[in-house]
Amino acid sequence: MQDLVNIFIKGVFIENMIFAYFLGMCSYLAVSKTVNTAVGLGFAVIFVLCVTIPVNYLLEKFILSAGALEWAGMPDVDLSFLSFIMFIAIIASIVQLVEMLVEKFAPALYGALGIFLPLIAVNCSILGGALFMQEREFETLTEATVFGFGSGVGWLLAIVAIAAIREKIRYSNVPAPLRGLGITFIITGLMGMAFMSFMGIELG
Amino acid sequence: MSEAAEELKAPAIKEKSEPLFSKKNRKLLSDPMDDNNPVTVQVLGICSALAITVQLEPSVVMGVSVIVVCAFSNLLISLIRNLIPDRIRIIVQLVVVAFLVILVDQILKAFVYDVSKQLSVFVGLIITNCIIMGRLEAFALQNKPWPALLDGIGNGAAYGAVLVLVAFFRELLGSGKLFGADMLLWLGYEPNGMMILPPMALIVVGLIIWAQRARNTKLIETH
């Protein structure tokens, strides 16, 4: 249990997708003009990460990694070079599937998340999450899922925070060439520095 | 039958007589460098890149990889643009890009293993680099292969240029070296450890954007 909490805290604060790895920056910069849309996209990212990371974990564990095909009687096969294409195919199709399911069974949620779901297929934080999951070699499915959830929460936190700051900064006198994109980059950098103070936190 | 086929071919040949590096085509190469820079103006593709700008060498390798992937994915998609059904185009694009990225990744692993280890997951993340998807959507799907190839090279190079610029400042100030060779240390320069930390990449990009927009005032945003 403590391990899981550690993985979660690490995903949210210490190895924050945005501030430590710059993953999902494109949508982070493009969709952070108002808090409402930022919250919508943030939840969509959490949702998709929680679905795709476990699926990709199983794929990695039972098909792609070296010796994983032992259950099929092929212990010498190493398909790990296929992981990029498999991960992105899984992500794109799951996003499509999730979009259809949500539209059918939860129209209200679809109204809130709908426009963001297609965007998410090419959000680097999703593929990045899958690749980090592969690199860190989690032992159980639960660990991988918690990692996905934690990363998603960290991403939500970052985008909501920057959206709130951008809403307020409209009233300040930023030098003209720095307006918009430039100042957003610099603020993100400063927030990243603040987040670095979480480094080294470990429970237990 | 053969006459009809020849007739069909004729206009294509005629259009090809346009010089390969006409003014319009040269603009495809030069435009992304400043007015339409994918990173500093269109805000695309920052995702997969800033973490690797601590040193120049990985940035150069990353820049070259993106040029290759961007150019060839543009070329391939442009070649098959009339065969792709509109509804599944995103998946088709992803498959083409992923295929090229796997090639690049395997080549990097074979020839520059150290750098490939340093780049870790970020080579894979070229797949979701928005510049590539953005160019495929906005350019390759509507244009002929040759302009699409040039557009890909132009955008990839512009992206690489920003990467190299950021890495130049970060490595020079952060460790006093360039490409691992001593530049400032022999002058008694004390390396600024701050520059190596991730947040400084964002701040350096912010300053580059500032400098670019101060010079090119038509890019200034109202908010």
Side-chain angles (χ1 to χ4, degrees):
Chain A
M1 188 61 207
Q2 207 172 34
D3 281 352
L4 295 183
V5 176
N6 257 335
I7 291 176
F8 179 77
I9 300 273
K10 220 172 158 187
V12 178
F13 295 110
I14 306 167
E15 288 172 350
N16 188 293
M17 284 279 186
I18 298 269
F19 297 129
Y21 297 111
F22 315 103
L23 295 180
M25 285 298 284
C26 311
S27 17
Y28 167 85
L29 291 168
V31 193
S32 61
K33 288 202 172 106
T34 57
V35 173
N36 281 341
T37 47
V39 171
L41 183 67
F43 277 107
V45 166
I46 297 184
F47 187 60
V48 172
L49 269 174
C50 283
V51 180
T52 54
I53 296 242
V55 175
N56 278 332
Y57 178 81
L58 294 176
L59 188 77
E60 159 82 11
K61 188 140 186 164
F62 291 109
I63 298 182
L64 293 177
S65 62
L69 277 173
E70 214 173 337
W71 56 270
M74 293 182 278
D76 299 331
V77 180
D78 180 4
L79 291 178
S80 50
F81 69 95
L82 282 178
S83 53
F84 293 161
I85 207 162
M86 292 304 286
F87 284 172
I88 196 69
I90 292 275
I91 289 168
S93 44
I94 286 189
V95 168
Q96 196 89 55
L97 200 68
V98 164
E99 195 186 346
M100 287 192 285
L101 285 179
V102 170
E103 190 179 8
K104 177 105 174 119
F105 294 111
L109 186 63
Y110 184 76
L113 296 186
I115 49 163
F116 299 120
L117 284 171
L119 263 179
I120 285 179
V122 286
N123 187 322
C124 329
S125 59
I126 311 289
L127 182 64
L131 294 175
F132 276 124
M133 175 273 294
Q134 185 189 30
E135 205 179 67
R136 285 181 204 165
E137 297 169 350
F138 290 111
E139 303 213 331
T140 63
L141 185 61
T142 331
E143 277 183 20
T145 316
V146 169
F147 165 74
F149 181 62
S151 309
V153 173
W155 204 86
L156 170 79
L157 198 67
I159 194 171
V160 172
I162 192 77
I165 294 178
R166 281 181 85 171
E167 272 189 10
K168 290 289 171 207
I169 211 159
R170 217 162 291 163
Y171 306 110
S172 13
N173 189 14
V174 179
L178 203 53
R179 263 178 217 156
L181 194 55
I183 194 71
T184 311
F185 267 105
I186 292 180
I187 293 171
T188 311
L190 295 175
M191 284 163 75
M193 276 181 214
F195 263 70
M196 290 190 74
S197 57
F198 290 113
M199 208 171 263
I201 290 181
E202 202 155 330
L203 298 180
Chain B
M1 180 69 203
S2 68
E3 245 174 61
E6 252 166 49
E7 234 171 80
L8 272 177
K9 260 187 195 166
I13 292 170
K14 213 174 193 181
E15 266 177 67
K16 257 194 181 162
S17 68
E18 182 188 339
L20 282 184
F21 285 98
S22 63
K23 201 170 177 199
K24 205 172 88 218
N25 283 344
R26 258 181 291 143
K27 205 166 158 49
L28 289 176
L29 279 176
S30 65
D31 218 29
M33 279 297 171
D34 190 12
D35 282 8
N36 227 341
N37 190 293
V39 180
T40 59
V41 179
Q42 299 173 13
V43 223
L44 295 175
I46 306 137
C47 335
S48 61
L50 291 181
I52 49 101
T53 51
V54 174
Q55 286 171 341
L56 264 175
E57 197 188 347
S59 322
V60 172
V61 173
M62 184 76 179
V64 173
S65 314
V66 171
I67 294 176
V68 170
V69 174
C70 199
F72 284 101
S73 61
N74 255 8
L75 178 67
L76 286 175
I77 289 290
S78 170
L79 282 172
I80 58 171
R81 67 185 186 280
N82 295 327
L83 304 173
I84 308 175
D86 205 37
R87 293 198 57 137
I88 58 158
R89 62 177 198 284
I90 303 248
I91 298 235
V92 174
Q93 289 163 5
L94 282 177
V95 169
V96 168
V97 176
F99 153 73
L100 287 165
V101 171
I102 290 178
L103 283 185
V104 167
D105 184 48
Q106 299 290 326
I107 291 171
L108 289 184
K109 272 187 187 145
F111 293 103
V112 280
Y113 187 73
D114 293 343
V115 178
S116 137
K117 263 264 147 325
Q118 238 174 328
L119 292 174
S120 77
V121 301
F122 292 97
V123 180
L125 286 173
I126 297 177
I127 299 173
T128 49
N129 191 321
C130 332
I131 293 177
I132 294 171
M133 289 297 283
R135 289 332 289 171
L136 293 179
E137 281 280 295
F139 199 88
L141 279 176
Q142 286 93 31
N143 286 283
K144 291 207 159 57
W146 174 246
L149 180 69
L150 288 182
D151 182 76
I153 296 176
N155 279 283
Y159 169 85
V162 174
L163 273 196
V164 169
L165 196 60
V166 175
F168 173 80
F169 286 118
R170 287 183 78 193
E171 191 177 0
L172 187 68
L173 300 176
S175 48
K177 296 173 179 174
L178 286 179
F179 285 110
D182 192 345
M183 284 289 152
L184 293 175
L185 293 176
W186 60 278
L187 289 171
Y189 175 75
E190 192 66 42
N192 181 354
M194 191 82 191
M195 296 299 286
I196 297 181
L197 301 177
M200 283 313 285
L202 291 164
I203 292 181
V204 171
V205 175
L207 295 178
I208 290 175
I209 291 174
W210 190 0
Q212 187 196 13
R213 292 188 184 185
R215 200 170 51 84
N216 195 343
T217 43
K218 67 172 182 275
L219 295 175
I220 293 177
E221 291 172 59
T222 44
H223 252 306

